Amino acid sequence: MADAYISPSYTVAVVGAGAAGMLAAATVSESLRDGGFDVGRDVRVLMLERNDRVGKKLRITGKGRCNLTNDCDRDEFLSNVPTNPRFLYTALAQFSPQDTRAYLEELGVPLKVERGKRVFPVSDKASDVVDALYRHCRELGVELINKKVTGLHFDDGGVCGVKAGAEMIGADFVLLATGGCSYPTTGSDGLGHKLAASAGHSIEKICPSLVPIVCEGNICSRMMGLSLRNVRLKVVRCESGATVFEDFGELLFTHFGITGPLVLSASAHIPDLEAGKYEILIDLKPALDDKTLDTRIVSDFAKYSNRDFINALSDLLPQKAIEPVADLTGIPYRKKVNAITKEERGRLVSVLHGLKLSPVRFRPIAEAIVTKGGVSVKEVSPKTMESKLVRGLYFAGEILDLDAYTGGFNLQIAFSTARAAGGAIAREIKGY
């Protein structure tokens, strides 16, 4: 079947109706409406979404609670962006975390700030954010077609539409907001990178970020299901002994290794993970120095002086951690604690302050929260998010080579880049 235009053509086609896509479409329509245009008559703004409903990935963000931004200033925000932070300087100036909060609250989504300045809906429902954005798009006259875009069309150095199935949908401006490669069941399976590559764009190496870590050995599997709070995790490069990451927080042991907020943040600092390259140290008692911890152990051992070593650790450790920690000390299980030497207590202190794990690889990118890599920002205008290679082609969100740590920073990147792109497209249409 030959390609056929859907008539009449659209002014703007936004590919992807996630966080970035919906905010970009709304921004275009808001600006045009405020400029006196009749959206739906004078201009037509279209979102194309391959799923049967919008915001599928946004709905599961933050375990369904939606950590949608971080209530910090620009400098602190950029310090949490390890990849191309300078590119975001202007976009964040145009649409800051505080602007995101005001925007969503104006749409009827009350927000709250939790530990680490993380911003959530008061309802703890990501669906409230999705519904508010989509409702706003509809009210502004944005149209939606549930079709998968499989190609771009170009004419005279510019984009002129998208291919969806057997149909060609004409558009003066095309904005790609398709996401990265994480959580492919939500639709972000890397198709956007292929579309960008077809336009001549360079795609920086795709790999997982904010992802669980696989460790060798059986220590983690023996503690599977154990969640620890208030522990310190350090990642050390074996060859140099340099610390590449160190922080305090929560982690979870699994059958394959470790996950949880602390681990996901650590993963963003390890671009080249392979067996033997790094060592992970977990401080199970970071609030106690060596001397204080030894005093605590002496007290416990006095309390349980007639018990075997293996049965005298229940006040010090969760049940699932007792045997793995005991094994690492080399102290016999059945040795009476009143016979344990100072040197042996020292080994226990060392293990408690530095439980060693050997990371070997990341879990698959499908399990990552965000994608590291994507469309090279060297080929995109930081002020407008327009392609420097193809006129009328814009980008927003995770499709770009931008990623940040946990805490709401990645969604804010989506919102800020979408706002910049949507505003720039509207200005082009209005002619100023």
Side-chain angles (χ1 to χ4, degrees):
M1 179 188 244
D3 288 346
Y5 278 84
I6 293 179
S7 184
S9 296
Y10 292 85
T11 314
V12 183
V14 177
V15 184
M22 286 192 285
L23 185 61
T27 298
V28 173
S29 298
E30 284 172 353
S31 182
L32 293 176
R33 178 198 60 190
D34 294 345
F37 287 78
D38 184 340
V39 179
R41 186 185 297 266
D42 300 331
V43 293
R44 298 183 69 187
V45 179
L46 171 68
M47 290 191 300
L48 292 122
E49 172 54 54
R50 64 191 297 177
N51 294 309
D52 57 1
R53 60 177 183 167
V54 302
K56 194 170 181 181
K57 185 175 180 181
L58 186 56
R59 292 176 190 275
I60 63 173
T61 300
K63 298 181 180 178
R65 294 182 62 218
C66 195
N67 178 195
L68 51 90
T69 189
N70 191 284
D71 192 28
C72 62
D73 62 27
R74 184 167 53 183
D75 288 344
E76 184 179 349
F77 190 100
L78 293 174
S79 72
N80 281 277
V81 182
T83 306
N84 298 315
R86 290 177 62 85
F87 178 83
L88 288 167
Y89 198 87
T90 302
L92 280 169
Q94 293 174 351
F95 199 68
S96 67
Q98 292 71 35
D99 293 327
T100 296
R101 290 187 62 186
Y103 188 87
L104 287 168
E105 290 191 320
E106 192 173 328
L107 295 185
V109 184
L111 304 175
K112 60 182 176 179
V113 181
E114 297 188 357
R115 179 180 57 84
K117 302 180 184 178
R118 298 170 186 233
V119 180
F120 293 88
V122 169
S123 66
D124 286 329
K125 293 180 180 178
S127 58
D128 286 354
V129 179
V130 177
D131 293 346
L133 286 170
Y134 183 46
R135 181 172 59 250
H136 190 47
C137 285
R138 292 201 317 270
E139 291 168 351
L140 289 166
V142 176
E143 301 172 51
L144 175 70
I145 294 178
N146 292 106
K147 284 191 174 183
K148 179 180 178 179
V149 172
T150 56
L152 301 176
H153 281 259
F154 310 97
D155 181 43
D156 193 26
V159 70
C160 62
V162 300
K163 185 178 181 181
E167 295 177 302
M168 163 64 176
I169 301 176
D172 300 319
F173 301 89
V174 173
L175 190 153
L176 297 182
T178 54
C181 297
S182 57
Y183 293 108
T185 55
T186 65
S188 57
D189 60 0
L191 175 61
H193 298 138
K194 294 177 182 177
L195 296 175
S198 75
H201 276 276
S202 305
I203 307 300
E204 300 298 333
K205 181 183 176 182
I206 302 299
C207 56
S209 186
L210 306 184
V211 65
I213 296 175
V214 178
C215 299
E216 66 182 10
N218 65 0
I219 293 176
C220 295
S221 60
R222 292 171 68 188
M223 293 194 281
M224 180 175 65
L226 176 61
S227 178
L228 297 178
R229 295 187 177 186
N230 304 321
V231 296
R232 184 170 294 279
L233 183 145
K234 180 191 293 187
V235 181
V236 176
R237 187 180 287 274
C238 295
E239 186 177 29
S240 64
T243 298
V244 300
F245 175 85
E246 186 173 7
D247 205 356
F248 179 86
E250 180 179 353
L251 63 80
L252 172 70
F253 291 96
T254 73
H255 66 285
F256 60 77
I258 48 177
T259 187
L262 196 52
V263 176
L264 300 183
S265 293
S267 72
H269 294 259
I270 315 173
D272 53 349
L273 179 57
E274 58 185 56
K277 211 163 192 178
Y278 294 92
E279 183 175 68
I280 290 175
L281 302 171
I282 301 172
D283 187 344
L284 301 173
K285 301 292 178 181
L288 306 177
D289 61 23
D290 286 356
K291 183 178 179 180
T292 306
L293 181 54
D294 183 57
T295 300
R296 163 72 190 278
I297 292 169
V298 168
S299 175
D300 282 1
F301 284 2
K303 179 180 178 181
Y304 301 118
S305 60
N306 293 319
R307 289 191 183 182
D308 296 339
F309 173 58
I310 196 67
N311 296 322
L313 300 175
S314 57
D315 290 354
L316 196 63
L317 291 166
Q319 188 62 40
K320 282 190 174 183
I322 290 175
E323 286 194 6
V325 167
D327 286 345
L328 291 169
T329 67
I331 302 171
Y333 279 10
R334 299 306 166 192
K335 187 169 186 176
K336 297 298 182 182
V337 292
N338 57 19
I340 288 177
T341 67
K342 182 177 180 181
E343 185 272 334
E344 287 173 325
R345 289 202 319 270
R347 299 207 307 259
L348 176 56
V349 168
S350 294
V351 173
L352 292 172
H353 274 325
L355 180 69
K356 294 181 182 179
L357 301 177
S358 299
V360 292
R361 64 182 181 278
F362 295 127
R363 291 290 286 179
I365 196 167
E367 297 180 28
I369 291 179
V370 297
T371 303
K372 182 182 286 290
V375 176
S376 172
V377 296
K378 295 177 182 177
E379 301 165 354
V380 178
S381 166
K383 292 183 179 180
T384 65
M385 301 299 144
E386 184 176 15
S387 165
K388 294 179 179 179
L389 310 180
V390 179
R391 187 180 62 256
L393 179 63
Y394 293 75
F395 303 95
E398 197 180 344
I399 189 174
L400 291 162
D401 183 23
L402 299 165
D403 63 271
Y405 305 141
T406 56
F409 302 103
N410 287 289
L411 260 180
Q412 181 61 47
I413 289 173
F415 291 138
S416 292
T417 54
R419 192 70 168 177
I425 291 171
R427 289 192 298 272
E428 284 290 321
I429 294 169
K430 290 187 288 188
Y432 59 85

